[in-house]
């Protein structure tokens, strides 16, 4: 049986639009999930939006 690659969750910083990979963790069932980083590695912002929701995100400007 071949291994199918996992899709890593991606998050967009609402301040600088830098994209980050999610932080992997194991669930209680042994599967992997991805959490957003605590802060943006570029600007230090803490508002990270899942990439699939980015098109619907409205900034507070």
């Amino acid at each position: 049986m071949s291994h199918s690659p996992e899709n890593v969750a991606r998050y967009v910083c609402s301040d600088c639009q830098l994209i980050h990979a999610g932080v992997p963790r194991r669930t209680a069932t042994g599967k992997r999930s991805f959490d957003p980083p605590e802060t943006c590695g570029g600007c230090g912002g803490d508002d990270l939006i899942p990439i699939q929701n980015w098109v619907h995100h409205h900034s507070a400007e």
Side-chain angles (χ1 to χ4, degrees):
M1 179 181 285
S2 66
H3 175 73
S4 59
E6 295 181 58
N7 289 324
V8 176
R10 294 175 291 168
Y11 298 89
V12 182
C13 175
S14 67
D15 295 326
C16 70
Q17 289 80 48
L18 189 67
I19 297 175
H20 296 278
V23 178
R25 69 174 176 87
R26 293 274 182 193
T27 65
T29 61
K31 296 192 179 204
R32 190 171 310 185
S33 69
F34 297 91
D35 294 329
E38 293 198 15
T39 58
C40 173
C43 71
D46 61 0
D47 189 19
L48 294 150
I49 311 300
I51 201 162
Q52 67 270 21
N53 296 341
W54 180 247
V55 71
H56 305 292
H57 177 72
H58 299 285
S59 66
E61 293 180 24

